[in-house]
């Protein structure tokens, strides 16, 4: 899987672009984006998932131009979004949440039992309403909902939001396992650099919709630059 984004611009309202020329490639592993409130992370996530239309630039997936595709088509093309705030169906049971996601993607959900193996809490609480779970558990359910769509790419919009430090550590572990087991690429929007450090090969610093700098996480000095940036957020 190779996602190539070039000169991408988009916004929430006509005539007001928020993402101002996004430029990056995601192939294997995980790419992170870090930026303060209002940097445009959610706008970029929504644009990559097809919910917001680009006003300029291109998005290609394995060489195929998908810039014009809406969100349903992109799910079928292999792109799943875990939106900010998780957005599980609180009144539905944990199991029903997974089934609805499988149905929406036109999958039969054979992966359901595999997902329950990976996240035993989802099996344990399968008949409980999703709203009765903790924030960290709901995040795992939201990720389970994305995986069941058998995506090649999962975009996670601030998965660490509202989680305790221990829950963030657990989440980092879970995401690492997912990258290994499912051959899936992750795009992570975050204000929490710790989660990115544990997962990403590349982290892009965003500010006011601009891409300020790309950090190579195999380099010590770039890791330090990431730390400095999020301590300053
Ligand atoms: N629904 C909306 N309609 C119009 N403008 C919006 C909307 N949501 C956000 N904005 C504006 O767009 C800009 C980018 O916001 P966005 O939510 O994409 O940033 P973010 O990096 O995800 O922030 P956060 O970390 O708070 O989630 C901000 O200036 C924000 O005020
Ligand atoms: Mg956001």
């Amino acid at each position: 899987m190779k996602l190539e984004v070039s000169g991408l611009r988009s916004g929430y309202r006509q005539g007001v672009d928020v993402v101002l020329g996004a430029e990056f490639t995601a192939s294997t592993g995980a790419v992170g984006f870090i930026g303060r409130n209002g940097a445009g992370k959610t706008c970029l996530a929504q644009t990559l998932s097809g919910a917001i239309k680009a006003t300029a630039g291109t998005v290609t997936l394995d060489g195929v131009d998908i810039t014009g595709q809406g969100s349903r088509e992109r799910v079928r093309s292999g792109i799943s979004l875990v939106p900010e705030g998780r957005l599980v169906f609180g009144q539905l049971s944990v199991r029903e949440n997974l089934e609805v996601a499988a149905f929406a993607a036109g999958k039969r959900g054979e992966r359901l039992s595999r997902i329950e193996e990976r996240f035993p809490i989802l099996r344990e609480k399968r008949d409980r309403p999703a709203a009765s779970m903790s924030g960290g558990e709901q995040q795992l359910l939201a990720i389970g909902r994305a995986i069941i769509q058998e995506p090649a790419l999962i975009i996670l919009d601030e998965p660490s939001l509202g989680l305790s430090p221990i829950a963030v550590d657990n989440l980092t572990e879970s995401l690492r396992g997912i990258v290994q087991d499912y051959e899936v690429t992750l795009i992570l929007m975050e204000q929490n650099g710790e989660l990115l450090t544990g997962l990403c090969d590349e982290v892009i610093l965003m500010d006011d919709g601009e891409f300020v700098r790309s950090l190579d996480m195999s380099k010590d000095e770039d890791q330090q630059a990431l730390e400095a940036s999020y301590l300053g957020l």
Side-chain angles (χ1 to χ4, degrees), residues 29 114 118 173-186 199:
R114 237 181 114 195
R118 169 163 294 287
E173 268 315 304
S174 300
L175 291 175
R176 200 178 287 129
I178 287 165
V179 169
Q180 278 163 8
D181 293 1
Y182 293 98
E183 286 179 51
V184 71
T185 301
L186 303 183
L199 275 172

Side-chain angles (χ1 to χ4, degrees), residues 12-13 18 36-43 84 158 191:
Y12 293 99
R13 284 176 294 150
V18 166
R36 69 184 84 219
N37 295 117
K41 303 181 296 295
T42 294
C43 189
E84 189 175 347
E158 288 209 51
Q191 295 196 51

Side-chain angles (χ1 to χ4, degrees), residues 1-3 48-49 61-62 66 69-81 105 107 111 146-155 182-187:
M1 199 284 320
K2 188 173 191 185
L3 183 84
L48 295 175
S49 74
L61 189 65
D62 291 327
I66 60 164
Q69 288 187 355
S71 23
R72 282 177 144 265
E73 274 175 289
R74 287 201 200 190
V75 168
R76 280 187 223 111
S77 298
I79 299 178
S80 285
L81 173 71
K107 307 285 179 190
R111 285 191 171 190
I147 293 174
I148 212 161
Q149 303 185 327
E150 302 179 16
L153 174 71
I154 305 179
I155 302 161
Y182 293 98
E183 286 179 51
V184 71
T185 301
L186 303 183
I187 289 183

Side-chain angles (χ1 to χ4, degrees), residues 34 201-205 213-217 221-223 225-227 229:
I34 192 164
D201 314 298
E202 181 189 8
V203 174
I204 293 165
L205 306 183
R213 189 172 162 192
S214 161
L215 302 173
D216 176 349
M217 299 313 285
E221 71 258 34
D222 282 18
Q223 278 189 28
L226 174 62
E227 209 170 301
S229 82

